[in-house]
Amino acid sequence: ETWSWYDGAWDSDNNYNRTAILQFKGIFIVPAGAGQDVAGKMANPAASPNPFNPGTTISFELPSPSMVDLKIHDLRGQLIKTLQVGSMESGHHDFLWDGTSNSGQVLGSGTYFVSLKTARGWRQSKITLVR
Protein backbone atom coordinates (compact mmCIF):
# COMPACT_ATOMS: atom_id res chain seq x y z
CA GLU A 1 0.00 0.00 0.00
CA THR A 2 1.03 3.60 -0.53
CA TRP A 3 0.52 5.94 2.41
CA SER A 4 0.50 9.73 2.35
CA TRP A 5 1.14 11.96 5.31
CA TYR A 6 0.57 15.70 5.59
CA ASP A 7 1.69 17.73 8.56
CA GLY A 8 0.63 21.37 8.50
CA ALA A 9 2.90 22.10 11.45
CA TRP A 10 5.85 22.17 9.02
CA ASP A 11 4.66 25.54 7.81
CA SER A 12 5.93 27.62 10.72
CA ASP A 13 5.32 30.97 9.00
CA ASN A 14 1.72 30.06 8.00
CA ASN A 15 2.11 31.07 4.36
CA TYR A 16 1.84 27.46 3.12
CA ASN A 17 4.45 27.95 0.41
CA ARG A 18 6.55 25.15 1.90
CA THR A 19 3.88 22.62 2.82
CA ALA A 20 5.14 19.06 2.39
CA ILE A 21 3.39 15.81 1.63
CA LEU A 22 5.32 12.58 2.05
CA GLN A 23 4.45 9.34 0.32
CA PHE A 24 5.98 6.04 1.26
CA LYS A 25 5.40 2.33 0.80
CA GLY A 26 5.77 -0.46 3.29
CA ILE A 27 4.52 -2.05 6.44
CA PHE A 28 4.63 0.03 9.59
CA ILE A 29 4.86 -1.33 13.09
CA VAL A 30 3.78 1.04 15.83
CA PRO A 31 5.04 0.30 19.35
CA ALA A 32 2.33 -0.30 21.96
CA GLY A 33 1.26 2.99 23.52
CA ALA A 34 2.83 5.19 20.85
CA GLY A 35 0.89 8.37 20.27
CA GLN A 36 -1.61 7.74 23.05
CA ASP A 37 -0.55 10.82 24.98
CA VAL A 38 -1.94 13.08 22.26
CA ALA A 39 -4.54 10.90 20.56
CA GLY A 40 -6.09 9.68 23.78
CA LYS A 41 -6.55 13.15 25.21
CA MET A 42 -7.47 15.38 22.28
CA ALA A 43 -9.97 14.50 19.55
CA ASN A 44 -10.26 15.96 16.06
CA PRO A 45 -12.41 19.07 15.85
CA ALA A 46 -15.92 18.02 14.79
CA ALA A 47 -18.30 20.07 12.62
CA SER A 48 -22.06 19.76 12.79
CA PRO A 49 -23.80 19.81 10.42
CA ASN A 50 -21.35 18.58 7.81
CA PRO A 51 -21.96 19.19 4.88
CA PHE A 52 -23.36 22.59 5.84
CA ASN A 53 -25.12 25.69 4.53
CA PRO A 54 -24.99 28.46 5.64
CA GLY A 55 -23.09 27.71 8.88
CA THR A 56 -21.64 24.95 11.00
CA THR A 57 -20.61 24.55 14.64
CA ILE A 58 -17.05 23.36 15.21
CA SER A 59 -16.61 21.58 18.53
CA PHE A 60 -13.65 20.18 20.43
CA GLU A 61 -12.61 19.18 23.95
CA LEU A 62 -9.52 20.37 25.79
CA PRO A 63 -8.31 18.03 28.54
CA SER A 64 -6.43 20.91 30.21
CA PRO A 65 -5.98 24.67 29.71
CA SER A 66 -3.96 25.37 26.57
CA MET A 67 -3.05 27.86 23.89
CA VAL A 68 -5.39 27.20 20.96
CA ASP A 69 -5.01 27.99 17.28
CA LEU A 70 -8.27 27.16 15.42
CA LYS A 71 -8.29 28.00 11.71
CA ILE A 72 -10.02 27.15 8.42
CA HIS A 73 -7.92 26.46 5.28
CA ASP A 74 -8.88 25.69 1.68
CA LEU A 75 -7.64 22.74 -0.37
CA ARG A 76 -4.53 24.68 -1.42
CA GLY A 77 -3.60 25.29 2.22
CA GLN A 78 -4.49 28.98 2.09
CA LEU A 79 -5.73 30.46 5.37
CA ILE A 80 -9.42 31.27 5.00
CA LYS A 81 -10.62 32.11 8.51
CA THR A 82 -9.11 32.40 11.97
CA LEU A 83 -11.67 31.34 14.57
CA GLN A 84 -9.53 31.40 17.70
CA VAL A 85 -5.96 32.16 18.71
CA GLY A 86 -5.20 32.37 22.40
CA SER A 87 -5.44 30.69 25.75
CA MET A 88 -8.53 28.62 26.58
CA GLU A 89 -9.73 26.73 29.64
CA SER A 90 -10.21 22.96 29.66
CA GLY A 91 -13.57 21.52 28.66
CA HIS A 92 -15.97 21.61 25.72
CA HIS A 93 -15.77 24.48 23.21
CA ASP A 94 -18.01 25.44 20.26
CA PHE A 95 -17.27 27.91 17.47
CA LEU A 96 -19.71 28.93 14.74
CA TRP A 97 -18.33 29.34 11.21
CA ASP A 98 -20.66 31.09 8.78
CA GLY A 99 -18.82 30.17 5.56
CA THR A 100 -17.06 33.53 5.23
CA SER A 101 -13.38 34.46 5.00
CA ASN A 102 -11.46 36.73 7.38
CA SER A 103 -12.33 39.65 5.08
CA GLY A 104 -16.06 38.81 5.19
CA GLN A 105 -16.22 37.33 1.68
CA VAL A 106 -18.96 34.70 1.29
CA LEU A 107 -17.21 31.53 0.14
CA GLY A 108 -18.44 29.14 -2.52
CA SER A 109 -19.14 25.45 -2.28
CA GLY A 110 -16.12 23.34 -1.55
CA THR A 111 -14.06 21.30 0.84
CA TYR A 112 -12.28 23.08 3.66
CA PHE A 113 -10.09 21.94 6.55
CA VAL A 114 -10.46 22.83 10.21
CA SER A 115 -7.07 22.77 11.94
CA LEU A 116 -6.73 22.74 15.71
CA LYS A 117 -3.29 23.29 17.25
CA THR A 118 -2.77 23.10 21.01
CA ALA A 119 0.12 22.47 23.36
CA ARG A 120 -0.76 18.74 23.08
CA GLY A 121 -0.61 18.50 19.30
CA TRP A 122 -2.30 19.19 16.00
CA ARG A 123 -5.54 17.77 14.62
CA GLN A 124 -7.44 18.39 11.38
CA SER A 125 -10.93 17.64 10.07
CA LYS A 126 -12.47 17.98 6.63
CA ILE A 127 -15.73 19.95 6.21
CA THR A 128 -17.87 20.63 3.15
CA LEU A 129 -19.73 23.85 2.33
CA VAL A 130 -22.65 23.37 -0.08
CA ARG A 131 -24.26 26.53 -1.53
Side-chain angles (χ1 to χ4, degrees):
E1 289 186 44
T2 300
W3 297 81
S4 296
W5 179 50
Y6 163 75
D7 186 350
W10 292 343
D11 187 30
S12 61
D13 60 2
N14 290 325
N15 68 10
Y16 292 90
N17 289 332
R18 293 187 306 268
T19 300
I21 297 176
L22 300 176
Q23 285 194 334
F24 42 90
K25 293 184 178 215
I27 298 171
F28 302 94
I29 299 172
V30 178
Q36 288 182 355
D37 184 47
V38 172
K41 296 180 182 174
M42 187 177 85
N44 289 350
S48 180
N50 187 20
F52 70 96
N53 179 9
T56 188
T57 300
I58 298 165
S59 304
F60 60 91
E61 299 279 339
L62 290 177
S64 60
S66 180
M67 290 297 292
V68 170
D69 187 353
L70 182 65
K71 296 180 178 178
I72 309 290
H73 297 89
D74 65 14
L75 288 173
R76 295 176 295 151
Q78 298 281 334
L79 175 64
I80 298 298
K81 182 82 168 192
T82 300
L83 298 174
Q84 171 69 25
V85 174
S87 181
M88 296 186 72
E89 294 297 318
S90 61
H92 181 83
H93 299 279
D94 292 322
F95 288 86
L96 178 64
W97 182 44
D98 60 1
T100 63
S101 69
N102 279 331
S103 65
Q105 175 186 2
V106 176
L107 301 171
S109 296
T111 299
Y112 297 89
F113 293 96
V114 179
S115 66
L116 173 65
K117 293 179 186 177
T118 72
R120 294 194 174 272
W122 176 81
R123 293 285 187 258
Q124 187 175 59
S125 295
K126 187 178 352 177
I127 57 176
T128 304
L129 172 58
V130 180
R131 293 278 183 202

